[in-house]
Amino acid sequence: MMRNIHFFNLKDGADEESALHFINVTLKEHAMAHGCIERRTLKLIDAREGGEEVDGPQYMNESWWPDLETSMAAFSQDKSTPEFREAAEKMFEQIEMVRSVRYEEF
């Protein structure tokens, strides 16, 4: 099983409801239809490093996939409709990615 985690912030002036709707509805429906097992978005409370509070991302989105190949194929050109790609562009105008982490469970 492969897990994919994205940490992100909303850009200044972004419409939180619109950006999260894409992630939690449009993106989730697409991913689930193409092999994703589960996905969710969490709003982060704080971040700490060495016991001290530090600036951290606002949100974390995580998804579980059977394997890396399935997750990559789900977003290939032939599986993404023009409407999906347009919605994704609008979402990326509203968020900034901080970090992505992928790992496999044994």
Side-chain angles (χ1 to χ4, degrees):
M1 171 126 25
M2 194 276 296
R3 190 170 181 181
N4 191 11
I5 301 172
H6 297 288
F7 296 95
F8 65 95
N9 293 322
L10 294 179
K11 292 180 181 177
D12 289 338
D15 178 4
E16 179 182 50
E17 186 176 341
S18 172
L20 294 181
H21 182 271
F22 173 81
I23 293 167
N24 293 324
V25 177
T26 308
L27 177 59
K28 182 176 184 172
E29 288 173 357
H30 177 86
M32 299 297 280
H34 293 92
C36 184
I37 297 166
E38 184 179 341
R39 66 182 300 120
R40 64 183 175 177
T41 302
L42 306 170
K43 188 166 186 172
L44 302 175
I45 296 170
D46 62 17
R48 299 189 177 275
E49 188 172 316
E52 300 293 322
E53 192 166 338
V54 296
D55 286 337
Q58 297 169 312
Y59 297 91
M60 181 180 89
N61 179 268
E62 56 186 347
S63 57
W64 292 264
W65 296 84
D67 50 51
L68 178 61
E69 293 76 20
T70 302
S71 97
M72 299 297 286
F75 298 99
S76 64
Q77 190 74 7
D78 62 321
K79 294 203 177 162
S80 298
T81 65
E83 295 81 13
F84 178 82
R85 288 191 298 275
E86 181 181 336
E89 284 180 32
K90 289 180 182 175
M91 185 266 310
F92 279 113
E93 291 172 358
Q94 298 187 71
I95 72 164
E96 59 183 5
M97 295 298 293
V98 175
R99 177 171 290 130
S100 292
V101 178
R102 297 188 296 194
Y103 65 89
E104 291 182 326
E105 296 181 18
F106 295 92

